[in-house]
Coordinates of all heavy atoms in Angstrom, one line a residue:
R119 N 0.7 -1.2 0.0 CA -0.1 0.0 0.0 C 0.9 1.2 0.0 O 2.1 1.2 0.2 CB -0.9 0.0 1.2 CG -1.8 -1.2 1.5 CD -2.7 -1.0 2.7 NE -3.6 -2.1 2.9 CZ -4.4 -2.1 3.9 NH1 -4.5 -1.1 4.7 NH2 -5.2 -3.2 4.1
F120 N 0.3 2.4 -0.2 CA 1.0 3.7 0.0 C 1.4 3.9 1.5 O 0.7 3.4 2.4 CB 0.2 4.8 -0.5 CG -0.3 4.9 -1.9 CD1 -1.7 4.7 -2.2 CD2 0.6 5.1 -2.8 CE1 -2.0 4.6 -3.6 CE2 0.2 5.1 -4.3 CZ -1.0 5.0 -4.6
T121 N 2.5 4.5 1.7 CA 2.9 4.8 3.0 C 1.8 5.7 3.6 O 1.5 6.8 3.1 CB 4.1 5.6 2.9 OG1 5.2 4.8 2.6 CG2 4.6 6.0 4.5
N122 N 1.3 5.3 4.8 CA 0.2 6.1 5.4 C 0.9 7.3 6.2 O 1.3 7.2 7.2 CB -0.5 5.2 6.4 CG -1.7 5.9 7.1 OD1 -2.3 6.8 6.5 ND2 -2.0 5.4 8.3
A123 N 0.8 8.3 5.6 CA 1.6 9.6 5.9 C 0.9 10.7 6.5 O 1.4 11.8 6.7 CB 2.6 10.1 4.8
H124 N -0.4 10.4 6.7 CA -1.2 11.6 7.4 C -2.2 11.1 8.3 O -2.7 9.8 8.2 CB -1.8 12.4 6.1 CG -3.1 11.8 5.6 ND1 -2.9 10.7 4.7 CD2 -4.4 11.9 5.8 CE1 -4.2 10.3 4.2 NE2 -5.0 11.1 5.0
E125 N -2.8 12.0 9.1 CA -4.1 11.7 9.8 C -4.9 12.9 9.6 O -4.5 14.0 9.1 CB -3.7 11.6 11.4 CG -2.9 10.3 11.6 CD -2.7 10.1 13.0 OE1 -3.6 10.5 13.9 OE2 -1.7 9.4 13.4
T126 N -6.2 12.7 9.8 CA -7.2 13.7 9.6 C -7.8 14.2 10.8 O -8.2 13.4 11.8 CB -8.4 13.2 8.7 OG1 -7.8 12.7 7.5 CG2 -9.4 14.2 8.4
L127 N -8.0 15.6 10.9 CA -8.7 16.1 12.1 C -9.9 16.8 11.6 O -10.0 17.3 10.5 CB -7.9 17.2 12.7 CG -6.5 16.9 13.4 CD1 -5.4 17.1 12.4 CD2 -6.3 17.6 14.7
I128 N -11.1 16.7 12.3 CA -12.2 17.3 12.0 C -12.5 18.5 13.0 O -12.3 18.1 14.2 CB -13.4 16.4 12.0 CG1 -13.3 15.3 10.9 CG2 -14.8 17.1 11.8 CD1 -14.4 14.2 11.0
W129 N -12.8 19.6 12.5 CA -13.1 20.7 13.5 C -14.6 21.1 13.3 O -15.0 21.4 12.1 CB -12.2 21.9 13.1 CG -12.4 23.1 13.9 CD1 -12.9 23.3 15.3 CD2 -12.3 24.5 13.4 NE1 -13.0 24.7 15.6 CE2 -12.7 25.3 14.5 CE3 -12.0 25.1 12.3 CZ2 -12.7 26.7 14.4 CZ3 -11.9 26.4 12.2 CH2 -12.2 27.2 13.2
A130 N -15.3 21.0 14.4 CA -16.7 21.1 14.2 C -17.4 22.1 15.2 O -16.9 22.0 16.3 CB -17.4 19.8 14.2
A131 N -18.3 22.9 14.8 CA -19.1 23.7 15.8 C -20.1 22.8 16.5 O -20.4 21.6 15.9 CB -19.7 24.8 15.1
K132 N -20.6 23.2 17.6 CA -21.7 22.4 18.3 C -23.0 22.2 17.4 O -23.4 21.2 17.6 CB -22.0 23.0 19.7 CG -22.9 22.2 20.6 CD -23.1 22.9 21.9 CE -24.0 22.0 22.8 NZ -24.3 22.7 24.0
S133 N -23.4 23.2 16.6 CA -24.5 23.1 15.8 C -24.4 24.1 14.7 O -23.6 25.1 14.6 CB -25.7 23.4 16.6 OG -25.8 24.8 17.0
A134 N -25.2 23.8 13.7 CA -25.3 24.7 12.5 C -25.8 26.1 12.8 O -25.6 27.0 12.2 CB -26.2 24.0 11.4
E135 N -26.6 26.1 13.8 CA -27.3 27.4 14.2 C -26.4 28.2 15.1 O -26.7 29.4 15.5 CB -28.6 27.1 14.9 CG -29.8 26.5 14.3 CD -29.5 25.0 13.9 OE1 -28.9 24.4 14.8 OE2 -29.8 24.4 12.8
Q136 N -25.3 27.7 15.5 CA -24.3 28.6 16.4 C -23.8 29.9 15.8 O -23.5 30.0 14.7 CB -23.1 27.5 16.6 CG -22.3 28.0 17.7 CD -21.2 26.9 18.0 OE1 -21.5 25.6 18.0 NE2 -20.0 27.2 18.3
K137 N -24.0 30.8 16.7 CA -23.9 32.1 16.2 C -22.4 32.6 16.3 O -21.9 33.5 15.5 CB -24.7 33.2 17.1 CG -26.2 32.9 16.9 CD -27.0 34.2 17.6 CE -28.5 33.9 17.5 NZ -29.3 34.9 18.2
S138 N -21.6 31.9 17.2 CA -20.2 32.3 17.2 C -19.4 31.1 17.8 O -19.9 30.2 18.4 CB -20.1 33.6 18.2 OG -20.5 33.0 19.5
Y139 N -18.2 31.2 17.5 CA -17.2 30.3 17.9 C -15.8 30.9 17.8 O -15.7 31.8 17.1 CB -17.2 28.9 17.1 CG -16.9 29.1 15.6 CD1 -15.6 29.1 15.1 CD2 -18.1 29.2 14.8 CE1 -15.5 29.3 13.7 CE2 -17.8 29.5 13.3 CZ -16.6 29.5 12.9 OH -16.4 29.7 11.5
T140 N -14.9 30.4 18.6 CA -13.5 31.0 18.5 C -12.7 30.6 17.4 O -12.5 29.4 17.3 CB -12.8 30.7 19.9 OG1 -13.6 31.3 21.0 CG2 -11.4 31.4 19.8
F141 N -12.2 31.5 16.6 CA -11.1 31.2 15.6 C -10.2 32.5 15.6 O -10.6 33.5 15.2 CB -11.8 31.0 14.2 CG -10.6 30.6 13.2 CD1 -9.7 29.8 13.6 CD2 -10.7 31.4 11.9 CE1 -8.6 29.5 12.5 CE2 -9.7 31.1 10.9 CZ -8.7 30.2 11.2
N142 N -9.0 32.2 16.0 CA -8.0 33.3 16.0 C -7.2 33.3 14.7 O -6.1 32.9 14.6 CB -7.0 32.9 17.2 CG -7.8 33.1 18.5 OD1 -8.5 33.9 18.8 ND2 -7.5 32.1 19.4
Y143 N -7.9 33.9 13.7 CA -7.4 33.9 12.4 C -6.1 34.6 12.3 O -5.1 34.1 11.7 CB -8.5 34.6 11.5 CG -7.9 34.8 10.1 CD1 -7.9 33.9 9.1 CD2 -7.5 36.2 9.8 CE1 -7.3 34.2 7.8 CE2 -7.1 36.4 8.5 CZ -7.0 35.5 7.6 OH -6.4 35.7 6.3
E144 N -6.0 35.7 13.0 CA -4.8 36.6 12.8 C -3.6 35.9 13.4 O -2.5 35.9 13.0 CB -5.1 38.0 13.5 CG -6.2 38.9 12.7 CD -5.6 39.2 11.3 OE1 -4.5 39.1 11.0 OE2 -6.5 39.7 10.5
A145 N -3.9 35.2 14.7 CA -2.8 34.5 15.3 C -2.3 33.3 14.4 O -1.1 33.2 14.3 CB -3.4 34.0 16.5
M146 N -3.2 32.7 13.7 CA -2.8 31.6 12.8 C -2.0 32.2 11.6 O -1.0 31.6 11.2 CB -4.0 30.9 12.3 CG -4.7 30.0 13.3 SD -3.6 28.6 13.8 CE -3.0 29.3 15.5
K147 N -2.4 33.3 11.2 CA -1.6 33.9 10.2 C -0.3 34.4 10.6 O 0.7 34.1 9.7 CB -2.4 35.2 9.6 CG -2.0 35.7 8.3 CD -2.8 36.8 7.8 CE -2.3 37.5 6.5 NZ -3.3 38.6 6.1
A148 N -0.2 34.9 11.8 CA 1.1 35.3 12.3 C 2.0 34.1 12.5 O 3.2 34.2 12.3 CB 0.9 36.1 13.6
L149 N 1.4 33.0 12.9 CA 2.2 31.8 13.2 C 2.7 31.2 11.9 O 3.8 30.5 11.9 CB 1.3 30.7 13.9 CG 2.0 29.6 14.4 CD1 2.7 30.0 15.7 CD2 0.9 28.5 14.9
N150 N 2.1 31.6 10.7 CA 2.4 31.0 9.5 C 3.2 32.1 8.6 O 3.1 32.2 7.3 CB 1.3 30.6 8.8 CG 1.6 29.6 7.6 OD1 2.4 28.9 7.7 ND2 0.8 29.8 6.6
E151 N 4.0 33.0 9.2 CA 4.7 34.1 8.5 C 3.8 35.0 7.7 O 4.2 35.3 6.5 CB 5.8 33.5 7.7 CG 6.9 32.9 8.5 CD 8.1 32.5 7.8 OE1 8.1 32.4 6.6 OE2 9.2 32.5 8.4
E152 N 2.6 35.4 8.3 CA 1.7 36.3 7.6 C 1.1 35.7 6.4 O 0.6 36.6 5.6 CB 2.3 37.7 7.4 CG 2.8 38.4 8.7 CD 1.7 38.6 9.6 OE1 0.5 38.9 9.3 OE2 1.9 38.5 10.8
V153 N 1.0 34.5 6.3 CA 0.3 33.8 5.1 C -0.9 33.1 5.7 O -0.8 32.5 6.9 CB 1.2 32.9 4.4 CG1 0.4 32.1 3.3 CG2 2.4 33.6 3.8
Q154 N -2.0 33.2 5.2 CA -3.3 32.6 5.7 C -3.0 31.0 6.0 O -2.4 30.3 5.1 CB -4.4 32.7 4.7 CG -5.7 32.2 5.2 CD -6.8 32.4 4.2 OE1 -6.8 31.8 3.2 NE2 -7.7 33.3 4.5
M155 N -3.4 30.6 7.1 CA -3.1 29.2 7.4 C -3.9 28.3 6.6 O -5.2 28.4 6.5 CB -3.4 29.0 8.9 CG -3.0 27.6 9.4 SD -1.2 27.2 9.5 CE -0.8 28.0 11.1
R156 N -3.4 27.2 6.0 CA -4.2 26.4 5.3 C -4.6 25.1 6.0 O -4.2 25.0 7.3 CB -3.3 25.8 4.0 CG -3.0 26.9 3.0 CD -1.9 26.5 2.1 NE -1.7 25.1 1.8 CZ -1.7 24.6 0.5 NH1 -1.6 25.6 -0.6 NH2 -1.6 23.4 0.2
S157 N -5.3 24.3 5.4 CA -5.9 23.0 6.1 C -5.1 21.9 6.0 O -5.5 20.8 6.3 CB -7.4 22.8 5.7 OG -7.3 22.5 4.3
D158 N -3.9 22.0 5.4 CA -2.9 20.9 5.5 C -1.7 21.4 6.2 O -1.0 22.3 5.9 CB -2.5 20.5 4.1 CG -2.0 21.7 3.2 OD1 -2.4 22.9 3.5 OD2 -1.4 21.5 2.1
W159 N -1.4 20.7 7.3 CA -0.4 21.0 8.3 C 0.7 20.0 8.2 O 0.6 18.8 8.4 CB -1.0 21.0 9.7 CG -2.1 22.0 9.9 CD1 -2.5 22.9 9.1 CD2 -2.9 22.1 11.2 NE1 -3.6 23.6 9.7 CE2 -3.9 23.2 10.9 CE3 -2.9 21.4 12.4 CZ2 -4.8 23.5 11.9 CZ3 -3.8 21.8 13.3 CH2 -4.7 22.8 13.1
T160 N 1.9 20.5 7.9 CA 3.1 19.6 7.9 C 3.8 19.7 9.3 O 4.4 20.7 9.6 CB 4.1 20.0 6.8 OG1 3.3 19.9 5.5 CG2 5.1 19.1 6.6

């Protein structure tokens, strides 16, 4: 088989009707040298 080189994380809000949840977008961008953080993490 292919080398199993990844795992998957699911990030989910409690419900579709949820009005707010925490996402520190600017902090993630800063952590990634001012580039928007993508959904593939090496």
Side-chain angles (χ1 to χ4, degrees):
R119 301 183 185 182
F120 297 111
T121 297
N122 186 25
H124 77 278
E125 293 185 28
T126 300
L127 299 96
I128 296 174
W129 177 34
K132 185 176 179 180
S133 73
E135 295 76 30
Q136 192 166 323
K137 294 182 178 179
S138 65
Y139 56 87
T140 298
F141 178 47
N142 297 317
Y143 169 81
E144 297 293 342
M146 289 294 97
K147 190 175 178 181
L149 196 66
N150 200 38
E151 294 190 337
E152 295 306 321
V153 178
Q154 187 179 69
M155 184 75 76
R156 293 163 38 126
S157 61
D158 51 339
W159 298 353
T160 302

